[in-house]
Amino acid sequence: MAQKVQNQSSEVQALAQNWPIAEALLGGTAAMRKAGTTFLPKWPGEEKESYEARLATATLFPAFGRTLGVMSGKPFSKQVTLGEDTPEKIKTWCEDVDLQGNSLHTFAAMMMDEALGFGLAGILVDYPRVSGARTLADERAIGARPYMVAVRHSQILGWKAQRSNGATVLTQLRLAETKEEDDGEFGIKHEPRVRVLTPGAWAVYMPGAKAEDDWVLEEQGTTTLQAIPFAPVYGRKRGFMDGVSPLLDLAYLNVKHWQSQSDQDTILHVARVPILALIGGDDPGVDGTGGTQLTVGASAAVRLPKDGDLKFVEHTGAAIEAGAKSLEALEDQMIQTGAELLVQKPGQRSATEAANDAEANKSELQRITEGFEDSLDQALQFMAAWVKEPQGGHASLFKDFASANLTDASAQLVLSLQQGGLITKATALKEYQRRGTLSPDLDPADEIEAVQEEGPALGTVGAA
């Protein structure tokens, strides 16, 4: 069957299998509850009402979202810098690179978050259509200039590519869009569209008159570029237009924690409500009448038959302790998995790198950041191409954040989570204790109280 313009290609469908789990986790507790049995299966024989009550009280420990925020933010802990080969006009444009008030630094940080979370996204460099302008000089006179557009993972529908001059280049790209239209006097509605880009041309398709109709061409045009001005950005790159989130394993662990936390909450609920058991009471009979009648209360007395007994049956608590330890182990495993991105790992060594261990042994996040720099450079070059500039320049990101081993890396992540207000100081101290960095005899609560009593650290008194 021929591919339809609005449908995902088989390549995108394969990538998209990993997207729902990240989308739900990033949506927080509300999104995870909305996903229902997708991420919180019903127990065998569980009644519908019982499951809905369990789902309605489930809460998410946002390890995936927290770690993604920390990791995507590390390359932007210092300002993005543009090389001396970057034209002044492009540097000026980068102060509002998307015509929405975002600088290149802010825009790039958003795209890094998207790439690490979903594995593939992109930067489209567009140029506004200007009516009445006949020449490039006319366009410049009215302030027209190229700008960057963030293309989210879910917008990519499909592509075609070929090898040209030793490189793989796009020959077609399909992107999902929406078009704002008035809905009455005050409302706005968003209508689906598909933009098809080819070298030197573009076309926009819209749904047919009926739901079952094929999509139809709405408008089309040409451009002055002989290339598709799209720069893909990757998480863990596996090939051209093929990337996966480096935090995917963490996402699955986070879902496991979501399920285990629900189990633990259910056990706690059961354990907190003791069951009153009557032993040796009279048989109520077939119709349920008669038998021993119970009235339980502070001012009530209970008459028991001979040899009868009445007691509360309570949970032993063994399962509660086991569940708590399992959750604690899962949380530690999630931190370790996220920290893997910061651990230095040997890569392919060139003759120059062989003498420089710091250059040859990079963390995965450093390698991803270097690839991201290449994508930014490609986008800058497209900006230059739109205005006939020979060189777009280069962007540089902060990359000095690797750690020599997993313990150091996970300690970095714990510190970042605490400084970002995502975990408490007490939790951070407990995590350091589990890693052997702090003495197991240290009491986090006492330590925090002692620090507060000491006052400001030396060298900080009077600082502005």
Side-chain angles (χ1 to χ4, degrees), residues 157 162 221 259 298-299 387 421:
L157 297 177
Q162 67 180 24
Q259 295 167 353
S299 60
V387 293

Side-chain angles (χ1 to χ4, degrees), residues 243-383:
V244 66
S245 170
L247 297 173
L248 185 59
D249 288 337
L250 171 59
Y252 281 104
L253 285 172
N254 207 165
V255 170
K256 184 177 181 180
H257 187 280
W258 161 258
Q259 295 167 353
S260 296
Q261 182 69 64
S262 175
D263 293 345
Q264 183 73 356
D265 291 345
T266 302
I267 292 173
L268 285 171
H269 175 71
V270 172
R272 289 169 179 168
V273 182
I275 301 171
L276 184 61
L278 172 61
I279 302 171
D282 296 335
D283 189 347
V286 177
D287 60 358
T289 61
T292 303
Q293 301 297 312
L294 296 180
T295 302
V296 180
S299 60
V302 178
R303 176 179 292 177
L304 295 178
K306 185 179 179 181
D307 299 325
D309 192 10
L310 189 67
K311 63 177 65 176
F312 280 101
V313 179
E314 296 189 72
H315 204 285
T316 64
I320 297 174
E321 183 179 359
K325 289 182 177 179
S326 176
L327 284 173
E328 189 177 85
L330 259 178
E331 289 165 11
D332 187 56
Q333 192 176 359
M334 286 190 287
I335 289 176
Q336 301 282 8
T337 301
E340 283 279 359
L341 285 183
L342 298 176
V343 180
Q344 293 177 350
K345 298 177 182 178
Q348 294 182 348
R349 299 175 126 213
S350 66
T352 303
E353 291 174 335
N356 189 341
D357 287 337
E359 182 66 22
N361 296 299
K362 297 176 181 176
S363 70
E364 183 173 11
L365 186 57
Q366 284 177 315
R367 298 180 192 280
I368 290 172
T369 303
E370 289 178 349
F372 191 85
E373 286 178 330
D374 293 340
S375 298
L376 289 179
D377 292 347
Q378 188 179 6
L380 291 172
Q381 190 58 42
F382 283 134
M383 293 186 86

Side-chain angles (χ1 to χ4, degrees), residues 373-451:
E373 286 178 330
D374 293 340
S375 298
L376 289 179
D377 292 347
Q378 188 179 6
L380 291 172
Q381 190 58 42
F382 283 134
M383 293 186 86
W386 274 115
V387 293
K388 310 300 182 184
E389 284 281 350
Q391 176 62 262
H394 296 84
S396 296
L397 305 179
F398 175 70
K399 297 185 287 293
D400 188 19
F401 41 66
S403 298
N405 56 59
L406 184 57
T407 300
D408 291 343
S410 64
Q412 273 193 42
L413 181 55
V414 169
L415 180 60
S416 297
L417 292 173
Q418 192 280 315
Q419 290 177 334
L422 301 173
I423 61 175
T424 65
K425 293 178 180 179
T427 299
L429 291 176
K430 290 176 183 177
E431 290 296 335
Y432 280 120
Q433 284 179 306
R434 285 206 283 174
R435 283 158 180 74
T437 306
L438 297 176
S439 169
D441 298 330
L442 180 144
D443 185 288
D446 291 344
E447 190 68 19
I448 293 172
E449 184 179 351
V451 169

